[in-house]
Amino acid sequence: MELPTSKKELERLGWDYVDVIMITGDAYIDHPSFGTAIISRVLEHHGLRVAVVPQPNWRDDLRDFKKLGKPRLFFGVNAGSMDSMVNHYTSTKRLRSNDAYTPGGLAGQRPDYAVTVYSNILKKLFPDVPVVIGGIEASLRRFAHYDYWSDSYKKSVLIDSNADLLIYGMGEKPIIDIADAFLAGKSVKDITEIPQTVYVTNSLEKCATKPIELYSYEDCLRDKILDAKNFRIIEEQSNVWKAEKLAQKFGDKYIVVNEPNPTISTEDLDAIYALPYTRLPHSRYDKKPPIPAFDMIKDSVTIHRGCFGACSFCTISAHQGKFIASRSEKSILKELNDIAQAKTFKGHITDLGAPSANMYGMQGRNQELCHKCRRASCLFPQKCKNLNDSHVRLTKLYEKTEQIPNIKHITIGSGIRYDLLQGAEGEKEYTSQLVKKHVSGRLKVAPEHTEDSVLKLMRKPSFTLFEKFKRTFDDLNKKYGLKQQIIPYFISSHPGCSAQDMKQLEQKLRMLKVMPEQVQDFTPTPMTLATVMYYTGVNPYTLEPVYSAKSKDEKDKQKSFFFWYKPKRAKEGDQRRFVKTQGGNRSKSNNFSKNKRKK
């Protein structure tokens, strides 16, 4: 059964009230790859009546926000599957012309800073109804943070949105705890001890356990170095087995960030993916153009959550967690069987993946050591000796998927960590099976750069590991008579990257005859190490200066070094001059770009 999105649909169901109304910036797709679908189905499974209002119009008389009336318990708000600013703008702050999470890819169907806009509208229309915010935008903006698009230091989104509670990370457990608290008759002001939630208070004296107090928003505004010091504490607490509460002051108020829940169990994760999703866009879109994000993800299966890579520019571990939570083989195979029986299925599973496809089932050999560990990454600066990096279990899973009727081909679309694979138990067997059977002509990997000084700040391995993996990949293709390609991902203008580094990158790519297509200019996003280095000009762990390219001219010229194989490039003389005048200056940070978008 579809969850209702309109008054007519409520009437057809015979509902005279709704317990929870979900407001989202995405089109509503009832598929377990989308957070709104999961949270809604989890609440429904808990016995609650849930309705969804997708992409409400915030420009008119606000009828979309009012059409279903008041929920009995609370409104749930998220910006969608992406931060709305990443969704809207390129790394050069140009407005994007499409939105993959909207029918027909139509842009402009959600506001900038969607969580803040939606929540403030709801608090104005229904001041007595609690608003709970969550999803990627709320999760990663829970503390004071630098916002690239406004070039400003912003308060916690919980403060700016005037919402009552914030859920960070994967929200299935806290959303049920919040619902139960309301069902028990608690006031929202009394809901202060639920793990993985954030609330506002006037005093820390009311906290059951004393939180670690970060430097205040006002202090960080006066001194950027204090923001860098805050980040180190936040990241360390995000990556320990048992974290502590954190608090930060904003004027005369505090936000209190409760400790996270333990990593979800296999049984609980299986139960979430067993819920009765239709796996389709809502029928309200039947006469509208296809939704690009759905077409990309519809025949894929998530096999685990979390990532222990801790790349400097990535937010996955800050949102999903460092420790891996894996589904059982039985659960994965059942979902594959269900997909294979669908009338619309054409035989191709586009991904058996996760943030990194080959971390399935991995954890520390000695869990007691993991409980004491404070490292952000299990792979950097070297692979942890306690990590059970065996790929045998994943290889056996791939073999079992081949027995499912109607599935002709399974490819790995989410990319792999070759530094994790190399030297691991079962490396040879996994790599052979991957190359022979599970590459759709092109395999995604992410070396990101070639120079050790930049890779160190990225928390990525030496480029020599990529070269080694490429040789193995090419040899296996030759052995099996295949003509497949590696598609490497690279980033320019990352903190610590100079034009001289990009020149060195170009020379190495020329030598390897690598012609990169998947490249990007570094975009600062909240709650990443790289963004803190970009904003503060220092490495939070050493407080040493870090150079960042910031002007459009600098960034464009850095990016141009990727395309050595294209005829239309900047003149070599211009590049040499750029390297000489700008490239070696790592210790000084240029002025921020003053080009701001005209609204």
Side-chain angles (χ1 to χ4, degrees):
M1 183 187 74
E2 287 187 327
L3 296 181
T5 64
S6 68
K7 193 72 173 178
K8 287 184 178 179
E9 291 167 21
L10 292 181
E11 292 170 355
R12 282 201 295 268
L13 291 170
W15 290 7
D16 55 357
Y17 69 89
V18 178
D19 291 307
V20 180
I21 297 176
M22 299 292 294
I23 309 287
T24 178
D26 286 347
Y28 177 40
I29 302 170
D30 190 25
H31 188 289
S33 292
F34 299 90
T36 298
I38 289 180
I39 295 299
S40 299
R41 289 297 184 184
V42 165
L43 287 167
E44 178 197 41
H45 183 70
H46 199 61
L48 300 177
R49 292 181 176 182
V50 184
V52 180
V53 178
Q55 299 186 318
N57 190 335
W58 73 99
R59 300 184 182 99
D60 60 6
D61 60 1
L62 308 181
R63 68 188 69 180
D64 286 345
F65 294 89
K66 297 181 284 188
K67 65 183 180 181
L68 301 184
K70 292 183 180 182
R72 187 166 69 102
L73 299 182
F74 61 90
F75 284 105
V77 173
N78 69 71
S81 299
M82 296 173 66
D83 184 287
S84 57
M85 302 308 287
V86 178
N87 178 280
H88 281 172
Y89 300 99
T90 68
S91 61
T92 56
K93 302 184 183 180
R94 286 188 293 108
L95 193 63
R96 298 186 191 274
S97 59
N98 55 68
D99 181 344
Y101 297 90
T102 303
L106 184 65
Q109 301 306 297
R110 79 188 83 209
D112 288 359
Y113 308 107
V115 166
T116 299
V117 172
Y118 292 158
S119 180
N120 275 303
I121 288 172
L122 291 169
K123 294 308 290 185
K124 183 179 179 180
L125 294 175
F126 308 102
D128 58 331
V129 180
V131 173
V132 180
I133 58 176
I136 195 77
E137 181 167 297
S139 180
L140 300 179
R141 294 176 181 266
R142 59 189 182 264
F143 296 99
H145 58 279
Y146 172 68
D147 180 69
Y148 172 68
W149 297 273
S150 63
D151 191 20
S152 66
Y153 191 65
K154 283 186 170 290
K155 298 177 181 179
S156 165
V157 67
L158 186 59
I159 299 291
D160 284 344
S161 69
N162 290 301
D164 297 285
L165 290 169
L166 183 155
I167 293 174
Y168 66 91
M170 309 303 278
E172 298 95 346
K173 180 69 167 61
I175 200 74
I176 293 301
D177 291 341
I178 289 171
D180 283 346
F182 285 130
L183 288 169
K186 280 192 175 184
S187 164
V188 70
K189 293 181 179 180
D190 296 327
I191 302 176
T192 59
E193 295 300 321
I194 293 176
Q196 223 162 297
T197 63
V198 186
Y199 66 93
V200 178
T201 182
N202 293 324
S203 172
L204 297 182
E205 298 299 321
K206 300 177 183 178
C207 296
T209 56
K210 186 178 180 180
I212 298 172
E213 188 171 351
L214 304 172
Y215 291 105
S216 72
Y217 169 74
E218 288 77 15
D219 288 341
C220 293
L221 267 180
R222 287 189 291 269
D223 185 352
K224 294 179 182 178
I225 303 302
L226 299 182
D227 181 67
K229 291 181 177 181
N230 275 353
F231 177 82
R232 179 171 180 174
I233 297 170
I234 292 167
E235 185 177 53
E236 286 178 345
Q237 289 302 313
S238 297
N239 290 312
V240 295
W241 186 264
K242 186 173 177 56
E244 296 185 54
K245 291 183 179 182
L246 301 175
Q248 188 172 28
K249 192 175 184 182
F250 297 81
D252 59 353
K253 297 178 180 179
Y254 294 87
I255 62 161
V256 177
V257 181
N258 287 325
E259 69 282 0
N261 280 297
T263 302
I264 191 170
S265 68
T266 293
E267 293 74 22
D268 287 344
L269 196 57
D270 285 355
I272 288 167
Y273 283 89
L275 295 173
Y277 307 97
T278 65
R279 300 188 67 90
L280 295 168
H282 193 274
S283 58
R284 65 188 283 135
Y285 306 115
D286 284 352
K287 295 181 180 179
K288 293 188 177 183
I291 302 171
F294 171 69
D295 287 345
M296 181 182 71
I297 208 78
K298 62 181 180 181
D299 293 329
S300 68
V301 174
T302 300
I303 61 174
H304 65 273
R305 288 181 180 175
C307 180
F308 47 70
C311 299
S312 297
F313 47 83
C314 183
T315 60
I316 291 169
S317 62
H319 185 68
Q320 291 197 8
K322 167 187 171 182
F323 300 100
I324 302 301
S326 299
R327 296 170 62 185
S328 67
E329 281 189 359
K330 181 179 179 181
S331 172
I332 295 166
L333 294 173
K334 181 184 184 303
E335 185 174 350
L336 285 168
N337 268 294
D338 291 343
I339 295 171
Q341 293 171 20
K343 294 179 180 179
T344 57
F345 181 60
K346 297 180 180 179
H348 181 197
I349 298 294
T350 54
D351 196 17
L352 282 182
S356 289
N358 60 322
M359 290 185 181
Y360 178 70
M362 294 186 184
Q363 59 182 9
R365 292 183 175 90
N366 181 344
Q367 286 291 287
E368 290 301 315
L369 293 179
C370 292
H371 295 176
K372 300 174 184 176
C373 179
R374 302 181 75 86
R375 283 177 55 172
S377 172
C378 302
L379 298 177
F380 181 87
Q382 297 90 27
K383 191 190 297 186
C384 177
K385 293 180 180 179
N386 186 46
L387 178 65
N388 182 356
D389 59 3
S390 173
H391 284 60
V392 173
R393 182 179 174 188
L394 186 54
T395 303
K396 289 182 178 178
L397 174 64
Y398 287 176
E399 291 171 352
K400 290 179 181 180
T401 63
E402 296 174 14
Q403 309 304 315
I404 298 174
N406 299 330
I407 294 181
K408 301 174 184 176
H409 196 198
I410 294 178
T411 53
I412 307 305
S414 51
I416 65 164
R417 287 290 299 243
Y418 54 81
D419 53 333
L420 172 60
L421 174 59
Q422 291 175 11
E425 180 187 359
E427 173 190 1
K428 182 177 179 180
E429 293 78 8
Y430 177 83
T431 309
S432 296
Q433 188 179 51
L434 175 73
V435 173
K436 186 177 181 180
K437 297 181 179 180
H438 301 297
V439 176
S440 60
R442 313 177 102 190
L443 178 67
K444 298 175 186 176
V445 294
E448 307 297 4
H449 212 282
T450 62
E451 303 309 291
D452 287 343
S453 60
V454 182
L455 290 167
K456 183 179 179 180
L457 290 172
M458 289 180 164
R459 290 179 176 159
K460 295 289 288 188
S462 169
F463 190 66
T464 57
L465 295 187
F466 169 76
E467 294 175 289
K468 180 182 176 183
F469 180 74
K470 186 177 184 302
R471 287 193 295 270
T472 301
F473 182 86
D474 291 343
D475 289 345
L476 287 170
N477 272 281
K478 185 176 180 180
K479 176 181 177 179
Y480 297 127
L482 301 170
K483 294 182 179 181
Q484 300 176 143
Q485 295 177 300
I486 280 184
I487 302 299
Y489 283 67
F490 291 97
I491 296 176
S492 59
S493 299
H494 188 278
C497 178
S498 69
Q500 183 62 47
D501 293 318
M502 294 303 296
K503 184 65 176 177
Q504 293 295 115
L505 176 146
E506 177 192 349
Q507 292 172 356
K508 290 181 180 178
L509 296 186
R510 277 180 180 270
M511 182 178 65
L512 292 172
K513 297 181 181 178
V514 171
M515 295 179 282
E517 299 173 14
Q518 299 292 332
V519 300
Q520 68 180 73
D521 187 25
F522 169 69
T523 303
T525 54
M527 214 167 171
T528 69
L529 172 59
T531 297
V532 174
M533 290 191 287
Y534 176 94
Y535 171 60
T536 65
V538 300
N539 183 335
Y541 285 85
T542 64
L543 299 184
E544 294 176 352
V546 177
Y547 162 80
S548 290
K550 291 184 175 178
S551 73
K552 186 177 186 303
D553 185 55
E554 287 178 291
K555 293 162 78 70
D556 286 348
K557 287 181 178 177
Q558 280 209 23
K559 193 171 182 179
S560 72
F561 284 104
F562 288 130
F563 306 111
W564 60 267
Y565 56 94
K566 291 188 176 182
K568 294 182 180 180
R569 302 180 61 210
K571 293 180 181 179
E572 287 292 328
D574 290 340
Q575 288 189 350
R576 283 195 294 272
R577 283 193 292 275
F578 180 68
V579 170
K580 184 177 180 181
T581 59
Q582 302 289 341
N585 187 3
R586 292 176 179 273
S587 63
K588 294 182 180 179
S589 176
N590 288 353
N591 291 331
F592 294 149
S593 171
K594 300 300 181 183
N595 296 324
K596 293 187 177 180
R597 182 178 64 90
K598 293 181 180 179
K599 295 187 179 179

